Amino acid sequence: MKIYSAAQIYEAITTTIEKNQISSNDLLEFAGTQIFNWFHAHMQGAQVPIHIYSGIGNNGGLGLVLGRQLLHHGYNVHTYVVNFSDKRTKDFLINYDRIKEFKVWPRLLSSGEDFPEMHKDDIIVDAIFGIGLNRETSDWVKTLIKYINASDAYTVSLDVPSGLYPNHAPEDKEAVIESNFTLTGQAPKLSFFLPETGVYMQQWEALDVGLDQEYLQTTDTEVQLIDTFEVLPLYIPREKYAHKGTYGHSMIMGGSFGKMGAVTLASEACLRVGTGLVTAYIPECGYPILQTALAEAMVVCDEGEKNITKIKYDIDPTVIGMGVGMGTDAVTVNALKAFLKTNKKPLIIDADALNILATNKTMLKLVPAKSILTPHPKELERLIGKWSDDFDKLEKSKAFAKKYDIVLIIKGANTITIYDNSLYINNTGNPGMATAGSGDVLTGMLTGLLAQGYDPITASIFGVYLHGKAGDIALTGLGYQALTASDIVAHIGEAYLDLFKKPEEPKQEEAK
């Protein structure tokens, strides 16, 4: 799914109006009707008090369209206008007049007034700002937002939670509506998926608000949301007469005394995702562990007993996943530097290998182009430096990926893959995957996909998706706290099968 910038949304609105020879208010009416249909389907006429807070721009006009339609269908509606300026849009004024046809005069809220009484069982509709916010929130509106948040009423925001921007961080974190559900126009916004801004909403749904489909389909976006629909075309079917050599020889390089589990997890994940062969390159202390824990893996031992000290092997791997459990001992740093000077194989770099690169940044120039780096937030900070907010983090990450011509995977909730100024936001995964070894599993999966012939960006997008989906499937019957990295590995096969699952058909009503 494409994620459009605010500028692209406004361009889509202009294109739709001009192409269909309609007014902006006609489009607003259509959008308001779509939102009303959502409310009506969920509420079925229930007389729960609905408090609609409308601003004085087009988002406020949208709130008034919704209010009018809810009133028309007999709902218990209270409307307020958050009167934060003397400038009003034309479409707001049209709908302000139209709602009065129902003998309803929205209450004007201004600085110094007592705010409306609300209860925790009520519903609040937040239509104060929308994506058009272009100013800092005044003190009294901030107080109103804090009052709404403190009410504990179920809050539905229109387009974005008020005070939140689609493409940059809010100036004041206390001046943002904490939305239970956000109904957004046409497509979600980037801010929905970042840790600092995504916390302001629990759920979201994108509604078709009538924007021109040709524009939407032909417009390229910097950001895409990745789910089953996007990854299914990436899948490469197995050939009938293929053999294990067809699907590559993966090497997992890492491990140190006390950290051999990381290599075991990565190696098994690599096999489960479909590589033909796996060889683990490890220090000698790990030999009995790997040979016992994973019968399918081959093992090559470094001459070091407890750490990797001199990387040397006679095999010809297709791709190398490195860093899991490796440690950062000085002798390992030297071994990695010497290896990078001669290596020409594609790399997936994770964990301690990333930390070594972060403290020896001249080594980054030795990393082959199109290699895949998979930092978690702290590892990312060591690589690119501190950032002021999540949007600054993305800009610095794009610059870093471009400078070294690598694919950068920022792990976390909604893991983000970055390459060539494009962002791919993953929509699978769950909080239970915040557990030891989960990243090692991802490294193994990426290595296995790359070995099978997927190009680096495709392997990254597909691997992150499968990793999250396996975690989602594993969650069933376990719960967040009990999920382990081994559970993720065990469900990689089901994640593949899920790609081809037919959508459930609507249940037929039983004959009466």
Side-chain angles (χ1 to χ4, degrees), residues 30-42:
F30 179 85
T33 300
Q34 294 288 80
I35 295 169
F36 163 76
N37 290 338
W38 186 92
F39 269 89
H40 194 42
H42 286 78

Side-chain angles (χ1 to χ4, degrees), residues 171-227:
E171 288 88 358
D172 188 340
K173 294 181 179 181
E174 291 188 339
V176 183
I177 290 288
E178 296 169 4
S179 173
N180 297 98
F181 209 104
T182 298
L183 294 172
T184 193
Q186 215 67 52
K189 312 302 185 276
L190 175 58
S191 56
F192 292 10
F193 304 101
L194 303 180
E196 291 178 353
T197 49
V199 294
Y200 291 106
M201 67 195 74
Q202 294 176 8
Q203 292 178 281
W204 60 268
E205 184 175 335
L207 299 181
D208 179 4
V209 292
L211 300 184
D212 183 69
Q213 287 299 311
E214 182 180 6
Y215 174 89
L216 297 174
Q217 292 169 12
T218 58
T219 297
D220 292 327
T221 61
E222 182 183 278
V223 187
Q224 291 188 54
L225 182 64
I226 303 298
D227 215 323

Side-chain angles (χ1 to χ4, degrees), residues 7 167 281 405:
N167 298 106
Y281 185 92
D405 192 20

Side-chain angles (χ1 to χ4, degrees), residues 3 18 20 64 67 69 154 156 174 179 186 206 224 289 291 310 327 375 387-388 395 417 454 486-489 509:
I3 297 180
E18 292 176 352
N20 294 279
L64 294 174
Q69 298 206 24
Y154 192 85
V156 180
E174 291 188 339
S179 173
Q186 215 67 52
Q224 291 188 54
I289 297 171
Q291 293 283 258
K310 187 177 181 179
W387 49 82
S388 59
E395 290 304 312
T417 299
Y454 290 89
S486 295
D487 296 321
I488 300 171
V489 175
E509 288 190 21

